[in-house]
Coordinates of all heavy atoms in Angstrom, one line a residue:
M220 N 2.7 -4.4 41.6 CA 2.7 -4.3 40.1 C 3.0 -5.6 39.6 O 3.9 -6.3 39.9 CB 3.7 -3.3 39.7 CG 3.8 -3.2 38.2 SD 5.2 -2.2 37.5 CE 4.8 -0.6 38.1
N221 N 2.1 -6.0 38.7 CA 2.3 -7.3 37.9 C 3.0 -7.0 36.6 O 2.4 -6.4 35.7 CB 0.9 -8.0 37.8 CG 1.0 -9.3 37.1 OD1 2.1 -9.7 36.6 ND2 0.0 -10.1 37.1
L222 N 4.2 -7.5 36.5 CA 4.9 -7.2 35.3 C 4.4 -7.8 34.1 O 4.6 -7.3 32.9 CB 6.4 -7.6 35.4 CG 7.2 -6.9 36.5 CD1 8.6 -7.4 36.6 CD2 7.3 -5.4 36.2
H223 N 3.6 -8.9 34.2 CA 3.0 -9.5 33.1 C 1.9 -8.7 32.5 O 1.4 -9.0 31.4 CB 2.5 -10.9 33.4 CG 3.6 -11.8 33.8 ND1 4.6 -12.3 32.9 CD2 4.0 -12.3 35.1 CE1 5.5 -13.0 33.6 NE2 5.2 -13.0 34.9
Q224 N 1.4 -7.7 33.2 CA 0.3 -6.9 32.7 C 0.8 -5.7 32.0 O 0.0 -4.9 31.5 CB -0.6 -6.5 33.8 CG -1.4 -7.7 34.4 CD -2.3 -7.2 35.6 OE1 -2.2 -6.2 36.2 NE2 -3.3 -8.2 35.8
L225 N 2.1 -5.4 32.0 CA 2.6 -4.2 31.3 C 2.5 -4.4 29.8 O 2.6 -5.6 29.3 CB 4.1 -4.0 31.6 CG 4.4 -3.6 33.1 CD1 5.8 -3.6 33.3 CD2 3.8 -2.2 33.3
P226 N 2.3 -3.4 29.0 CA 2.2 -3.6 27.6 C 3.5 -4.0 27.0 O 4.6 -3.7 27.5 CB 1.8 -2.2 27.1 CG 2.2 -1.2 28.2 CD 2.1 -2.0 29.4
Q227 N 3.4 -4.9 26.0 CA 4.5 -5.4 25.3 C 5.1 -4.3 24.3 O 4.3 -3.5 23.8 CB 4.1 -6.6 24.4 CG 3.7 -7.8 25.3 CD 4.8 -8.2 26.3 OE1 6.0 -8.5 25.8 NE2 4.6 -8.3 27.5
P228 N 6.4 -4.2 24.2 CA 6.9 -3.2 23.3 C 6.4 -3.4 21.9 O 6.2 -4.6 21.4 CB 8.4 -3.5 23.3 CG 8.7 -4.3 24.5 CD 7.4 -5.0 24.8
R229 N 6.1 -2.3 21.2 CA 5.5 -2.4 19.9 C 6.7 -2.4 18.9 O 7.8 -2.1 19.2 CB 4.7 -1.1 19.6 CG 3.4 -1.1 20.4 CD 2.6 0.1 20.0 NE 2.6 0.3 18.6 CZ 1.6 -0.1 17.8 NH1 0.6 -0.8 18.3 NH2 1.6 0.1 16.5
L230 N 6.4 -2.8 17.7 CA 7.3 -2.7 16.6 C 7.6 -1.2 16.3 O 6.9 -0.3 16.8 CB 6.8 -3.4 15.4 CG 6.6 -4.9 15.6 CD1 6.0 -5.5 14.3 CD2 7.9 -5.6 15.9
G231 N 8.6 -0.9 15.5 CA 9.0 0.4 15.1 C 7.8 1.0 14.2 O 6.8 0.5 14.0
P232 N 8.1 2.3 13.7 CA 7.1 3.0 13.0 C 6.7 2.3 11.7 O 7.5 1.5 11.1 CB 7.8 4.3 12.7 CG 9.2 4.1 12.8 CD 9.4 2.9 13.8
Y233 N 5.5 2.5 11.2 CA 5.1 2.0 9.9 C 5.7 2.9 8.8 O 5.7 4.1 8.9 CB 3.6 2.0 9.8 CG 3.1 1.5 8.5 CD1 3.0 0.1 8.3 CD2 2.7 2.4 7.5 CE1 2.6 -0.4 7.1 CE2 2.2 1.9 6.3 CZ 2.1 0.5 6.1 OH 1.8 0.0 4.9
P234 N 6.4 2.3 7.8 CA 7.1 3.1 6.9 C 6.2 3.8 5.8 O 6.1 3.3 4.7 CB 8.1 2.1 6.2 CG 7.4 0.8 6.4 CD 6.6 0.9 7.6
E235 N 5.5 4.8 6.2 CA 4.5 5.5 5.4 C 5.0 6.8 4.7 O 4.3 7.4 4.0 CB 3.3 5.8 6.2 CG 3.6 6.7 7.3 CD 2.4 6.8 8.3 OE1 1.3 6.2 8.0 OE2 2.5 7.6 9.3
H236 N 6.3 7.1 5.0 CA 6.8 8.3 4.4 C 7.9 7.9 3.3 O 8.5 6.9 3.5 CB 7.6 9.2 5.5 CG 6.6 9.7 6.5 ND1 5.8 10.8 6.3 CD2 6.3 9.2 7.7 CE1 5.1 11.0 7.4 NE2 5.4 10.0 8.3
P237 N 8.1 8.8 2.3 CA 7.5 10.0 2.0 C 6.0 9.8 1.6 O 5.7 8.9 0.9 CB 8.3 10.6 0.9 CG 8.9 9.4 0.2 CD 9.1 8.4 1.3
Q238 N 5.2 10.8 2.0 CA 3.8 10.7 1.7 C 3.4 11.3 0.3 O 2.3 11.2 -0.1 CB 3.0 11.4 2.7 CG 3.1 10.6 4.1 CD 2.3 11.2 5.2 OE1 1.9 12.4 5.1 NE2 1.8 10.3 6.1
H239 N 4.4 11.9 -0.3 CA 4.2 12.5 -1.7 C 3.7 11.4 -2.7 O 4.3 10.3 -2.7 CB 5.5 13.2 -2.2 CG 5.3 13.7 -3.6 ND1 4.6 14.9 -3.9 CD2 5.7 13.2 -4.8 CE1 4.7 15.1 -5.1 NE2 5.3 14.2 -5.8
R240 N 2.7 11.7 -3.5 CA 2.2 10.8 -4.5 C 2.2 11.5 -5.8 O 1.8 12.7 -5.9 CB 0.8 10.2 -4.1 CG 0.7 9.6 -2.8 CD 1.5 8.2 -2.8 NE 1.3 7.5 -1.5 CZ 2.2 7.5 -0.6 NH1 3.3 8.3 -0.7 NH2 2.0 6.8 0.6
T241 N 2.5 10.8 -6.9 CA 2.4 11.3 -8.3 C 1.4 10.5 -9.0 O 1.7 9.3 -9.4 CB 3.8 11.2 -8.9 OG1 4.7 11.9 -8.1 CG2 3.7 11.9 -10.3
G242 N 0.2 11.1 -9.2 CA -0.9 10.3 -9.9 C -1.1 9.0 -9.3 O -1.2 8.8 -8.1
D243 N -1.2 8.0 -10.2 CA -1.4 6.6 -9.7 C -0.1 5.7 -9.7 O -0.2 4.5 -9.5 CB -2.5 5.9 -10.6 CG -2.1 5.9 -12.0 OD1 -1.1 6.4 -12.4 OD2 -2.8 5.2 -12.8
R244 N 1.0 6.4 -9.7 CA 2.2 5.7 -9.6 C 2.5 5.3 -8.1 O 2.1 6.0 -7.2 CB 3.4 6.6 -10.1 CG 3.2 6.9 -11.6 CD 4.4 7.8 -12.1 NE 5.6 7.1 -12.0 CZ 6.8 7.6 -12.1 NH1 6.9 8.9 -12.4 NH2 7.9 6.9 -12.0
P245 N 3.2 4.2 -8.0 CA 3.5 3.8 -6.6 C 4.4 4.8 -5.9 O 5.3 5.4 -6.5 CB 4.2 2.4 -6.8 CG 4.3 2.1 -8.2 CD 3.7 3.3 -9.0
P246 N 4.2 5.0 -4.6 CA 5.1 5.9 -3.8 C 6.5 5.3 -3.6 O 6.7 4.1 -3.7 CB 4.3 6.1 -2.5 CG 3.6 4.8 -2.3 CD 3.3 4.3 -3.7
H247 N 7.4 6.2 -3.3 CA 8.8 5.8 -3.0 C 8.9 5.4 -1.5 O 9.6 6.0 -0.7 CB 9.8 6.9 -3.3 CG 10.0 7.1 -4.8 ND1 11.0 6.4 -5.5 CD2 9.3 7.9 -5.6 CE1 10.9 6.8 -6.7 NE2 9.9 7.7 -6.9
T248 N 8.1 4.4 -1.2 CA 8.1 3.8 0.2 C 8.6 2.3 0.1 O 8.6 1.8 -1.0 CB 6.7 3.8 0.8 OG1 5.8 3.2 -0.1 CG2 6.2 5.3 1.0
P249 N 9.0 1.8 1.2 CA 9.7 0.5 1.1 C 8.7 -0.7 1.1 O 7.6 -0.7 1.6 CB 10.5 0.4 2.4 CG 9.7 1.3 3.4 CD 9.2 2.4 2.5
L250 N 9.1 -1.7 0.3 CA 8.4 -3.0 0.3 C 9.2 -3.9 1.3 O 10.4 -4.1 1.2 CB 8.5 -3.7 -1.1 CG 7.5 -3.1 -2.1 CD1 7.8 -3.8 -3.5 CD2 6.1 -3.4 -1.7
R251 N 8.4 -4.2 2.4 CA 9.0 -5.1 3.3 C 8.8 -6.6 3.0 O 7.8 -6.9 2.3 CB 8.5 -4.8 4.7 CG 8.8 -3.4 5.2 CD 8.3 -3.1 6.5 NE 8.9 -4.0 7.5 CZ 8.7 -3.8 8.9 NH1 7.9 -3.0 9.3 NH2 9.3 -4.6 9.7
P252 N 9.6 -7.5 3.3 CA 10.7 -7.4 4.2 C 12.1 -7.1 3.6 O 13.1 -7.1 4.3 CB 10.7 -8.8 4.9 CG 10.3 -9.7 3.9 CD 9.3 -8.9 3.0
R253 N 12.0 -6.9 2.2 CA 13.4 -6.7 1.5 C 13.8 -5.2 1.6 O 14.9 -4.9 1.2 CB 13.3 -7.1 0.1 CG 13.0 -8.6 0.0 CD 13.6 -9.2 -1.3 NE 13.5 -10.6 -1.2 CZ 14.4 -11.4 -0.7 NH1 15.5 -10.9 -0.2 NH2 14.3 -12.7 -0.7
W254 N 13.0 -4.3 2.0 CA 13.3 -2.9 2.1 C 13.8 -2.4 0.7 O 14.8 -1.7 0.6 CB 14.2 -2.6 3.2 CG 13.6 -2.9 4.5 CD1 13.5 -4.0 5.2 CD2 12.9 -1.9 5.3 NE1 12.7 -3.9 6.3 CE2 12.4 -2.6 6.4 CE3 12.7 -0.5 5.2 CZ2 11.7 -1.9 7.4 CZ3 12.0 0.1 6.2 CH2 11.4 -0.6 7.3
A255 N 13.1 -2.7 -0.3 CA 13.3 -2.1 -1.7 C 12.2 -1.2 -1.9 O 11.1 -1.3 -1.5 CB 13.3 -3.3 -2.7
C256 N 12.5 -0.1 -2.7 CA 11.5 0.9 -3.0 C 10.5 0.3 -3.9 O 10.8 -0.4 -5.0 CB 12.2 2.1 -3.7 SG 11.1 3.4 -4.2
R257 N 9.2 0.6 -3.6 CA 8.1 0.0 -4.4 C 8.0 0.8 -5.7 O 7.3 0.2 -6.6 CB 6.8 0.0 -3.6 CG 6.1 1.3 -3.4 CD 4.8 1.2 -2.6 NE 5.1 0.8 -1.2 CZ 4.7 -0.3 -0.6 NH1 3.9 -1.1 -1.2 NH2 5.0 -0.6 0.6
A258 N 8.5 1.9 -5.9 CA 8.5 2.7 -7.1 C 9.6 2.4 -8.1 O 9.3 2.2 -9.3 CB 8.4 4.2 -6.8
C259 N 10.8 2.3 -7.5 CA 11.9 2.2 -8.4 C 12.8 0.9 -8.2 O 13.7 0.7 -9.0 CB 12.8 3.5 -8.4 SG 13.6 3.7 -6.8
G260 N 12.5 0.2 -7.2 CA 13.2 -1.1 -6.9 C 14.5 -0.9 -6.3 O 15.2 -1.9 -6.0
Q261 N 15.0 0.3 -6.1 CA 16.3 0.5 -5.5 C 16.3 0.2 -4.0 O 15.2 0.2 -3.4 CB 16.8 1.9 -5.7 CG 17.0 2.3 -7.1 CD 18.1 1.5 -7.7 OE1 19.2 1.4 -7.2 NE2 17.8 0.9 -8.9
P262 N 17.4 -0.1 -3.3 CA 17.4 -0.2 -1.9 C 16.8 1.1 -1.2 O 17.2 2.2 -1.6 CB 18.9 -0.4 -1.5 CG 19.5 -0.9 -2.8 CD 18.8 -0.3 -3.9
W263 N 15.9 0.9 -0.3 CA 15.2 2.0 0.3 C 15.9 2.5 1.5 O 16.5 1.6 2.3 CB 13.8 1.6 0.7 CG 12.9 2.8 1.0 CD1 12.2 3.5 0.1 CD2 12.7 3.4 2.3 NE1 11.6 4.5 0.7 CE2 11.9 4.4 2.1 CE3 13.2 3.0 3.5 CZ2 11.5 5.2 3.1 CZ3 12.8 3.9 4.6 CH2 11.9 4.9 4.4
P264 N 16.1 3.8 1.8 CA 15.5 4.9 1.0 C 16.3 5.2 -0.2 O 17.5 5.5 -0.1 CB 15.5 6.1 2.0 CG 16.6 5.7 3.0 CD 16.7 4.2 3.0
C265 N 15.7 5.2 -1.4 CA 16.2 5.5 -2.7 C 16.5 7.0 -2.7 O 16.1 7.8 -1.8 CB 15.3 5.1 -3.8 SG 13.8 6.0 -3.8
G266 N 17.2 7.4 -3.7 CA 17.6 8.8 -3.8 C 16.3 9.7 -3.9 O 16.3 10.8 -3.3
E267 N 15.3 9.3 -4.6 CA 14.1 10.1 -4.7 C 13.4 10.2 -3.4 O 12.9 11.2 -2.9 CB 13.1 9.5 -5.8 CG 11.8 10.3 -6.0 CD 12.1 11.6 -6.8 OE1 13.2 11.7 -7.4 OE2 11.2 12.5 -6.7
A268 N 13.3 9.1 -2.6 CA 12.7 9.0 -1.3 C 13.5 10.0 -0.4 O 12.9 10.7 0.4 CB 12.7 7.6 -0.8
R269 N 14.8 10.0 -0.5 CA 15.6 10.9 0.5 C 15.3 12.3 0.1 O 15.1 13.1 1.1 CB 17.1 10.6 0.3 CG 17.5 9.2 0.8 CD 19.0 9.0 0.7 NE 19.3 7.6 1.1 CZ 20.5 7.2 1.4 NH1 21.5 8.0 1.4 NH2 20.7 5.9 1.8
L270 N 15.2 12.7 -1.1 CA 14.9 14.0 -1.4 C 13.5 14.4 -0.9 O 13.3 15.5 -0.3 CB 14.9 14.3 -3.0 CG 16.3 14.3 -3.6 CD1 16.2 14.3 -5.1 CD2 17.1 15.4 -3.2
L271 N 12.5 13.6 -1.2 CA 11.1 13.8 -0.7 C 11.1 13.9 0.8 O 10.4 14.7 1.4 CB 10.2 12.7 -1.2 CG 10.0 12.8 -2.7 CD1 9.3 11.4 -3.2 CD2 9.2 14.0 -3.2
L272 N 11.8 13.0 1.5 CA 11.8 13.0 3.0 C 12.5 14.2 3.5 O 12.0 14.8 4.5 CB 12.6 11.7 3.5 CG 11.7 10.5 3.3 CD1 12.6 9.2 3.4 CD2 10.7 10.4 4.4
K273 N 13.5 14.7 2.9 CA 14.2 16.0 3.4 C 13.2 17.1 3.3 O 13.2 18.0 4.1 CB 15.5 16.2 2.7 CG 16.6 15.3 3.2 CD 18.0 15.8 2.7 CE 19.0 14.9 3.4 NZ 20.4 15.4 3.3
T274 N 12.4 17.1 2.2 CA 11.4 18.2 2.0 C 10.3 18.1 3.0 O 10.0 19.0 3.7 CB 10.9 18.2 0.6 OG1 12.0 18.3 -0.3 CG2 9.8 19.2 0.4
E275 N 9.8 16.8 3.1 CA 8.7 16.6 4.0 C 9.0 16.9 5.5 O 8.2 17.4 6.2 CB 8.3 15.1 3.9 CG 7.0 14.8 4.6 CD 6.6 13.3 4.2 OE1 6.6 12.9 3.1 OE2 6.2 12.6 5.1
F276 N 10.3 16.6 5.9 CA 10.7 16.8 7.3 C 11.5 18.1 7.4 O 12.2 18.3 8.5 CB 11.5 15.6 7.8 CG 10.6 14.4 8.1 CD1 10.2 13.5 7.2 CD2 10.2 14.2 9.4 CE1 9.5 12.4 7.5 CE2 9.5 13.1 9.8 CZ 9.1 12.2 8.8
E277 N 11.5 19.0 6.5 CA 12.2 20.3 6.6 C 11.9 21.0 7.9 O 10.7 21.2 8.2 CB 11.9 21.2 5.4 CG 12.8 22.3 5.4 CD 12.7 23.1 4.1 OE1 12.0 22.6 3.1 OE2 13.2 24.3 4.0
G278 N 13.0 21.4 8.6 CA 12.7 22.0 9.9 C 12.5 21.1 11.1 O 12.2 21.6 12.2
R279 N 12.4 19.8 10.8 CA 12.1 18.8 11.8 C 13.1 17.7 11.7 O 12.8 16.5 11.7 CB 10.7 18.3 11.7 CG 9.6 19.4 11.9 CD 8.2 18.8 11.7 NE 8.0 18.2 10.4 CZ 7.4 17.0 10.2 NH1 7.0 16.3 11.2 NH2 7.3 16.5 9.0
K280 N 14.4 18.0 11.7 CA 15.4 17.0 11.6 C 15.4 16.0 12.7 O 15.6 14.8 12.4 CB 16.8 17.7 11.5 CG 18.0 16.8 11.2 CD 19.2 17.5 11.1 CE 20.3 16.6 10.6 NZ 21.6 17.2 10.4
S281 N 15.1 16.4 13.9 CA 15.0 15.4 15.0 C 14.0 14.4 14.7 O 14.2 13.2 15.0 CB 14.8 16.1 16.3 OG 15.8 17.0 16.7
S282 N 12.8 14.8 14.2 CA 11.7 13.9 13.9 C 12.2 12.9 12.8 O 11.9 11.8 12.9 CB 10.5 14.7 13.4 OG 10.0 15.5 14.5
L283 N 12.9 13.4 11.8 CA 13.3 12.5 10.7 C 14.3 11.5 11.3 O 14.2 10.3 11.0 CB 14.0 13.4 9.7 CG 14.6 12.6 8.5 CD1 13.5 11.9 7.7 CD2 15.4 13.5 7.5
L284 N 15.2 11.9 12.1 CA 16.2 11.0 12.8 C 15.5 9.9 13.7 O 15.9 8.8 13.6 CB 17.3 11.8 13.5 CG 18.2 12.5 12.7 CD1 19.1 13.4 13.5 CD2 19.1 11.6 11.8
I285 N 14.5 10.4 14.4 CA 13.8 9.4 15.3 C 13.0 8.4 14.4 O 13.0 7.2 14.7 CB 12.8 10.2 16.2 CG1 13.7 11.0 17.3 CG2 11.9 9.3 16.9 CD1 12.9 12.0 18.0
Y286 N 12.4 8.9 13.4 CA 11.6 8.1 12.5 C 12.5 7.0 11.9 O 12.3 5.8 11.8 CB 10.9 9.0 11.4 CG 10.2 8.2 10.3 CD1 9.1 7.5 10.7 CD2 10.6 8.2 9.0 CE1 8.4 6.8 9.7 CE2 9.9 7.6 8.0 CZ 8.8 6.8 8.4 OH 8.1 6.2 7.4
F287 N 13.7 7.5 11.3 CA 14.6 6.5 10.7 C 15.3 5.6 11.7 O 15.7 4.5 11.3 CB 15.6 7.3 9.8 CG 15.1 7.3 8.4 CD1 14.3 8.3 7.9 CD2 15.3 6.3 7.5 CE1 13.8 8.4 6.6 CE2 14.8 6.2 6.3 CZ 14.1 7.3 5.8
S288 N 15.5 6.0 12.9 CA 16.1 5.2 13.9 C 15.2 4.0 14.1 O 15.5 2.8 14.3 CB 16.3 5.9 15.2 OG 17.4 6.9 15.0
G289 N 13.8 4.3 14.2 CA 12.9 3.2 14.3 C 12.8 2.3 13.1 O 12.8 1.1 13.2
L290 N 13.0 2.9 11.9 CA 13.0 2.0 10.7 C 14.2 1.2 10.6 O 14.3 0.1 10.1 CB 12.8 2.9 9.5 CG 11.4 3.6 9.3 CD1 11.4 4.4 8.0 CD2 10.3 2.6 9.4
F291 N 15.3 1.8 11.1 CA 16.6 1.1 11.1 C 16.4 -0.2 12.0 O 16.8 -1.3 11.6 CB 17.7 2.0 11.7 CG 19.0 1.3 12.1 CD1 19.8 0.7 11.2 CD2 19.4 1.2 13.4 CE1 21.0 0.1 11.4 CE2 20.6 0.7 13.8 CZ 21.4 0.1 12.8
Y292 N 15.7 -0.1 13.1 CA 15.5 -1.3 14.0 C 14.7 -2.3 13.2 O 14.9 -3.5 13.2 CB 14.8 -0.8 15.2 CG 14.3 -2.0 16.1 CD1 15.1 -2.6 17.0 CD2 12.9 -2.3 16.0 CE1 14.7 -3.6 17.7 CE2 12.5 -3.3 16.8 CZ 13.3 -4.0 17.7 OH 12.8 -5.0 18.5
E293 N 13.6 -1.8 12.6 CA 12.7 -2.7 11.8 C 13.5 -3.4 10.6 O 13.3 -4.6 10.4 CB 11.6 -1.9 11.3 CG 10.6 -1.4 12.3 CD 9.8 -2.7 12.9 OE1 9.1 -3.4 12.1 OE2 9.9 -2.9 14.1
A294 N 14.3 -2.6 9.9 CA 15.0 -3.2 8.8 C 16.1 -4.2 9.3 O 16.2 -5.3 8.6 CB 15.8 -2.1 8.1
M295 N 16.7 -3.9 10.4 CA 17.7 -4.9 11.0 C 16.9 -6.2 11.2 O 17.4 -7.3 10.9 CB 18.2 -4.4 12.3 CG 19.2 -3.2 12.1 SD 20.9 -3.6 12.3 CE 21.1 -4.4 13.8
H296 N 15.8 -6.2 11.8 CA 15.0 -7.3 12.1 C 14.7 -8.1 10.8 O 14.9 -9.3 10.7 CB 13.7 -7.0 12.9 CG 12.8 -8.2 13.1 ND1 11.9 -8.5 12.3 CD2 12.8 -9.0 14.2 CE1 11.3 -9.6 12.7 NE2 11.8 -9.9 13.8
D297 N 14.1 -7.4 9.9 CA 13.7 -8.0 8.6 C 14.9 -8.6 7.9 O 14.9 -9.8 7.4 CB 13.0 -7.1 7.7 CG 11.6 -6.7 8.2 OD1 11.1 -7.3 9.2 OD2 11.0 -5.8 7.6
L298 N 15.9 -7.8 7.7 CA 17.0 -8.3 6.8 C 17.9 -9.3 7.5 O 18.4 -10.2 6.8 CB 17.9 -7.1 6.4 CG 17.1 -6.1 5.5 CD1 17.9 -4.8 5.3 CD2 16.7 -6.7 4.2
Y299 N 18.0 -9.3 8.8 CA 18.8 -10.4 9.4 C 17.9 -11.7 9.5 O 18.5 -12.7 9.4 CB 19.2 -9.9 10.8 CG 20.4 -9.1 10.7 CD1 20.3 -7.7 10.8 CD2 21.7 -9.7 10.6 CE1 21.4 -6.9 10.7 CE2 22.8 -8.9 10.5 CZ 22.6 -7.5 10.6 OH 23.8 -6.7 10.5
Y300 N 16.6 -11.6 9.6 CA 15.8 -12.7 9.6 C 15.9 -13.4 8.2 O 15.9 -14.6 8.1 CB 14.3 -12.3 9.9 CG 13.4 -13.5 9.9 CD1 13.4 -14.5 10.9 CD2 12.6 -13.7 8.8 CE1 12.5 -15.5 10.8 CE2 11.7 -14.8 8.8 CZ 11.7 -15.7 9.7 OH 10.9 -16.8 9.6
L301 N 15.9 -12.6 7.1 CA 15.9 -13.1 5.8 C 17.3 -13.6 5.4 O 17.4 -14.5 4.6 CB 15.5 -12.0 4.8 CG 14.0 -11.6 4.8 CD1 13.8 -10.5 3.8 CD2 13.2 -12.8 4.3
N302 N 18.3 -13.0 6.0 CA 19.6 -13.3 5.6 C 20.5 -13.5 6.9 O 21.4 -12.7 7.2 CB 20.2 -12.2 4.7 CG 21.6 -12.5 4.2 OD1 22.0 -13.7 4.2 ND2 22.3 -11.5 3.8
P303 N 20.2 -14.6 7.6 CA 21.0 -14.8 8.9 C 22.4 -15.0 8.7 O 23.2 -14.9 9.6 CB 20.3 -16.0 9.5 CG 19.6 -16.7 8.4 CD 19.3 -15.7 7.3
G304 N 22.9 -15.3 7.4 CA 24.3 -15.5 7.1 C 25.1 -14.2 7.4 O 26.4 -14.3 7.5
G305 N 24.5 -13.1 7.3 CA 25.1 -11.8 7.6 C 25.8 -11.1 6.5 O 26.9 -10.6 6.7
Q306 N 25.2 -11.1 5.3 CA 25.9 -10.3 4.2 C 25.5 -8.8 4.4 O 26.1 -7.9 3.8 CB 25.4 -10.7 2.9 CG 25.9 -12.1 2.5 CD 25.4 -12.5 1.1 OE1 24.7 -11.8 0.4 NE2 25.9 -13.7 0.7
V307 N 24.6 -8.5 5.3 CA 24.3 -7.1 5.6 C 25.0 -6.7 6.9 O 24.7 -7.2 7.9 CB 22.8 -6.9 5.7 CG1 22.5 -5.5 6.0 CG2 22.0 -7.3 4.5
E308 N 25.9 -5.7 6.7 CA 26.7 -5.3 7.9 C 25.9 -4.3 8.7 O 25.3 -3.4 8.1 CB 28.0 -4.8 7.5 CG 28.9 -5.8 6.9 CD 29.4 -6.8 7.9 OE1 29.5 -6.5 9.1 OE2 29.7 -8.0 7.4
P309 N 25.9 -4.3 10.0 CA 25.2 -3.3 10.8 C 25.6 -1.8 10.5 O 24.7 -1.0 10.4 CB 25.6 -3.7 12.3 CG 25.9 -5.1 12.2 CD 26.5 -5.3 10.9
H310 N 26.9 -1.6 10.2 CA 27.3 -0.2 9.9 C 26.7 0.3 8.6 O 26.5 1.4 8.4 CB 28.8 0.0 10.1 CG 29.6 -0.7 9.0 ND1 29.9 -2.0 9.0 CD2 30.0 -0.2 7.8 CE1 30.6 -2.3 8.0 NE2 30.7 -1.2 7.1
E311 N 26.6 -0.7 7.7 CA 26.0 -0.3 6.4 C 24.5 0.0 6.5 O 24.1 1.0 5.8 CB 26.2 -1.5 5.4 CG 27.6 -1.8 5.0 CD 27.8 -3.1 4.2 OE1 26.8 -3.9 4.0 OE2 28.9 -3.3 3.7
L312 N 23.9 -0.7 7.3 CA 22.4 -0.4 7.5 C 22.3 0.9 8.3 O 21.4 1.7 8.0 CB 21.7 -1.5 8.3 CG 21.3 -2.7 7.5 CD1 20.6 -3.7 8.4 CD2 20.4 -2.3 6.3
F313 N 23.2 1.1 9.2 CA 23.1 2.5 10.0 C 23.4 3.6 9.0 O 22.6 4.6 9.0 CB 24.2 2.5 11.0 CG 24.1 3.7 11.9 CD1 23.2 3.8 12.9 CD2 25.0 4.7 11.6 CE1 23.1 5.0 13.7 CE2 24.9 5.9 12.4 CZ 24.0 6.0 13.4
D314 N 24.3 3.5 8.1 CA 24.6 4.5 7.1 C 23.4 4.7 6.2 O 23.0 5.8 5.9 CB 25.8 4.2 6.3 CG 27.1 4.3 7.1 OD1 27.1 4.9 8.2 OD2 28.1 3.8 6.5
R315 N 22.8 3.6 5.8 CA 21.7 3.6 4.8 C 20.4 4.3 5.5 O 19.7 5.0 4.8 CB 21.4 2.2 4.4 CG 20.2 2.0 3.5 CD 20.1 0.6 3.0 NE 18.8 0.2 2.6 CZ 18.4 -1.0 2.3 NH1 19.3 -2.0 2.4 NH2 17.2 -1.2 1.9
F316 N 20.1 4.0 6.8 CA 18.9 4.4 7.4 C 19.1 5.6 8.3 O 18.1 6.4 8.4 CB 18.3 3.3 8.2 CG 17.6 2.3 7.4 CD1 18.3 1.2 6.8 CD2 16.3 2.4 7.1 CE1 17.7 0.3 6.0 CE2 15.6 1.5 6.3 CZ 16.3 0.5 5.7
V317 N 20.2 5.9 8.9 CA 20.3 7.0 9.9 C 21.3 8.1 9.4 O 20.9 9.2 9.4 CB 20.6 6.4 11.2 CG1 20.7 7.5 12.3 CG2 19.6 5.3 11.7
S318 N 22.5 7.7 9.1 CA 23.6 8.6 8.9 C 23.2 9.7 7.8 O 23.5 10.8 8.0 CB 24.9 8.0 8.5 OG 25.4 7.2 9.6
W319 N 22.6 9.3 6.7 CA 22.4 10.2 5.6 C 21.5 11.3 6.0 O 21.6 12.4 5.5 CB 21.7 9.4 4.4 CG 20.3 9.1 4.7 CD1 19.8 7.9 5.3 CD2 19.1 9.8 4.5 NE1 18.5 7.9 5.4 CE2 18.0 9.2 4.9 CE3 18.9 11.1 3.9 CZ2 16.7 9.6 4.8 CZ3 17.7 11.6 3.8 CH2 16.6 10.8 4.2
A320 N 20.6 11.0 7.0 CA 19.6 12.0 7.4 C 20.3 13.1 8.2 O 19.8 14.2 8.3 CB 18.5 11.4 8.2
Ligands
ZN458 ZN1 12.4 4.9 -5.2

């Protein structure tokens, strides 16, 4: 087996949820690399996004947690790259992306 031929790990999931749309208004999905909501500008997931996500993933809590664990990884990468000084604490990001779900 040639280890150099193995596929490279992919990045985490594409942040396309919540998929709910209201007319032509922007969805409550994150703008990367700052992870701010494109609809309301709040740190993502904003309150509206959390409500929509809980509805969208109702009965599939494990899927929601797996999705957000992947986004947590992506957000850590983006936010630490943008702010290597470390004003973003890992436990804060974990609470923001995973614990609430
Ligand atoms: Zn929002």
